Amino acid sequence: MHDTADAVVIGGGILGASTAHFLAKKGFGQIILLEQRTLAAVSTGHSAAAIRTFYSNPVTVQLAQRAVEMFSNGEEELGGDCDFRQIGYLALLDEAGIEAGKTVVQLQREHGIRIEELTPADLSDRLPMVNLDDISYAILEPDSGFADPKKTTRNLVESASEWGLTAHEGVGARSITLTNGRVSAVETDNGPIQTPVVINAAGGWGRQLGLTIGLNYSFRWSREYDVVLNVPFDTADYPWLTDPQLCVYSRPAGPRQLLVGLGFPKEIEPLDIDNYDTTVDDASRHRVEEKIFQRVPSTREGSFDHGWASMYTISDDWHPLVGPEPEIPGYFACLAGNGHCFKLGPPLGEALADVITGNASKIDITGLRPSRFIEGDYFTSAWGSGNRA
Ligand SMILES: Cc1cc2nc3c(=O)[nH]c(=O)nc-3n(C[C@H](O)[C@H](O)[C@H](O)COP(=O)(O)OP(=O)(O)OC[C@H]3O[C@@H](n4cnc5c(N)ncnc54)[C@H](O)[C@@H]3O)c2cc1C
């Protein structure tokens, strides 16, 4: 292993892989990515992988818009095709959700995003299996969809080797070393790497790593799960369906399969990040099924195929922490993916790489600076607290 680098990125999920990719692509020199398990082993590899622009603040909308652009052109922008399936993202809203929905539509249109406003009558032919009885209004993003999170992460890492990125899987970072207050090295399982720049993209373990240099991030961790159901209908025309009323989302997982998960607001399920059940237990499965049976009644006639559980790392305002720590030259955070950062990973990595290399970013991400919490500059959402930002 190299014992010096121009930058060390800690964490091989989508946030670390993206930042490392774009640092290398922008010519920052020798970049080392450390992943204590395997690439995309934790949240990223278990993501439902929605790529949508349905957000209610300008920074996130711009990042999500850039994500759609990047995934649409994976070979050029992300180092390879990421199996982006633009099946459309459809939000079903009842009377109470119309106002927030219109806010989102207006913001999207201000940014030039293609979006359609629909009535239940517009949907009944396309989606005869969906119960639209309580739905008053629907929003469709035709260009949104989902991609393959493991493939995306590998593409980003492997394609950047030609520009100087070296990834070490199975090698953990133990601590960051400061000399005279600035980053000077990373202590790893295989010994130290001298470096002037470190990016903390350690996901759920980002707090633990921050503590090694006196940073105390306020995070919570929640167990999140998805299930795959065999269903008695063809999913060819089924979009990504989000349902803020019942707090359930679903999308095709195969020709006659749906991936189904729960949205917020709901109870956070705290977990021990080093020791939690990664399978879907019966109680979790029933919680998901109870909701999807209401929205898509014929799923009752289907069967459970498989499922998995992983985690959200949640910040105090449900938005990621991305940027420098002004008191610690050479240190950058790219943390707290909440429920958004599979899609936001590539544009955030690109923007953070611009900040680190001193280039002008396409998108101004200073709003995501980690210091916003002590400054009281929190993000809010048209939907209230939760991952529906
Ligand atoms: C069930 C579920 C569904 C989701 N659905 C969506 C969705 O539809 N759309 C969306 O955009 N987002 C979704 N998300 C959220 C998204 O997956 C996360 O926001 C994103 O993956 C976070 O990426 P990350 O790189 O921060 O974390 P991770 O993927 O967890 O990566 C962090 C990595 O750092 C490594 N690491 C930790 N400590 C160290 C260390 N000391 N040294 C070396 N390596 C270390 C870990 O092993 C891990 O691989 C979902 C998440 C879950 C769990």
Side-chain angles (χ1 to χ4, degrees):
M1 198 166 84
H2 297 84
D3 55 11
T4 61
D6 295 296
V8 174
V9 180
I10 302 170
I14 192 71
L15 288 173
S18 302
T19 308
H21 175 94
F22 287 104
L23 274 177
K25 192 171 188 176
K26 289 170 194 293
F28 200 64
Q30 179 64 48
I31 315 298
I32 293 183
L33 174 69
L34 299 173
E35 168 50 56
Q36 64 188 5
R37 298 184 187 182
T38 53
L39 295 175
V42 191
S43 301
T44 300
H46 297 92
S47 175
I51 297 158
R52 44 102 176 177
T53 51
F54 196 78
Y55 282 105
S56 64
N57 67 71
V59 180
T60 315
V61 168
Q62 287 173 73
L63 288 165
Q65 183 177 23
R66 175 79 184 120
V68 171
E69 189 177 83
M70 292 168 118
F71 278 96
S72 306
N73 192 11
E75 295 278 356
E76 185 90 352
E77 301 257 20
L78 303 174
D81 176 43
C82 302
D83 289 347
F84 184 31
R85 291 191 51 206
Q86 289 178 286
I87 58 171
Y89 182 88
L90 180 67
L92 300 177
L93 300 169
D94 65 7
E95 281 296 315
I98 293 181
E99 194 183 332
K102 297 257 180 201
T103 308
V104 170
V105 168
Q106 189 185 337
L107 189 59
Q108 306 234 40
R109 292 209 167 121
E110 281 167 18
H111 287 87
I113 294 169
R114 243 167 30 106
I115 190 156
E116 294 168 25
E117 294 175 279
L118 304 171
T119 64
D122 299 326
L123 294 170
S124 49
D125 283 349
R126 176 178 171 185
L127 296 173
M129 70 292 273
V130 177
N131 171 8
L132 299 167
D133 289 352
D134 57 331
I135 300 306
S136 308
Y137 173 60
I139 302 169
L140 176 68
E141 297 172 6
D143 299 324
S144 294
F146 67 95
D148 181 329
K150 289 188 180 160
K151 194 169 174 189
T152 304
T153 309
R154 285 231 165 252
N155 283 346
L156 285 162
V157 172
E158 288 171 6
S159 63
S161 62
E162 61 171 307
W163 304 309
L165 170 61
T166 310
H168 296 280
E169 295 179 72
V171 180
R174 296 182 176 180
S175 61
I176 299 166
T177 309
L178 305 182
T179 303
N180 298 326
R182 58 172 311 134
V183 168
S184 59
V186 173
E187 202 58 52
T188 81
D189 296 339
N190 292 353
I193 304 171
Q194 308 302 321
T195 181
V197 172
V198 66
I199 294 91
N200 179 354
W205 294 265
R207 177 171 186 275
Q208 204 168 300
L209 198 64
L211 285 172
T212 68
I213 50 170
L215 297 169
N216 188 359
Y217 296 115
S218 167
F219 292 159
R220 289 175 296 164
W221 299 270
S222 176
R223 185 169 169 277
E224 297 295 323
Y225 37 87
D226 285 322
V227 304
V228 173
L229 302 179
N230 300 307
V231 294
F233 52 83
D234 185 345
T235 59
D237 289 331
Y238 198 97
W240 184 293
L241 201 71
T242 186
D243 179 344
Q245 289 71 228
L246 293 173
C247 298
V248 62
Y249 59 80
S250 51
R251 55 108 160 140
R256 292 174 87 81
Q257 283 190 328
L258 286 184
L259 176 152
V260 189
L262 299 179
F264 281 77
K266 65 181 168 84
E267 291 286 308
I268 283 181
E269 293 186 36
L271 50 73
D272 172 354
I273 60 172
D274 292 307
N275 183 23
Y276 63 94
D277 182 5
T278 56
T279 64
V280 174
D281 55 293
D282 286 350
S284 306
R285 173 164 70 88
H286 289 315
R287 274 196 286 276
V288 176
E289 286 178 343
E290 190 192 338
K291 306 254 181 179
I292 198 69
F293 290 172
Q294 288 182 63
R295 184 56 69 206
V296 186
S298 62
T299 53
R300 279 178 199 281
E301 295 150 34
S303 60
F304 173 77
D305 193 82
H306 66 285
W308 56 84
S310 186
M311 67 165 135
Y312 277 7
T313 301
I314 303 171
S315 65
D316 288 346
D317 64 2
W318 288 89
H319 283 71
L321 278 62
V322 185
E325 199 63 55
E327 304 291 309
I328 307 177
Y331 173 90
F332 298 85
C334 198
L335 289 169
N338 294 282
H340 318 301
C341 278
F342 170 62
K343 76 187 72 62
L344 301 185
L348 281 173
E350 179 184 50
L352 182 58
D354 280 329
V355 171
I356 296 170
T357 55
N359 291 312
S361 302
K362 285 193 175 77
I363 300 167
D364 180 2
I365 56 163
T366 45
L368 296 169
R369 68 199 178 285
S371 62
R372 70 181 183 273
F373 298 105
I374 29 175
E375 294 159 14
D377 194 10
Y378 287 49
F379 279 88
T380 56
S381 161
W383 307 98
S385 176
N387 74 337
R388 190 163 299 286

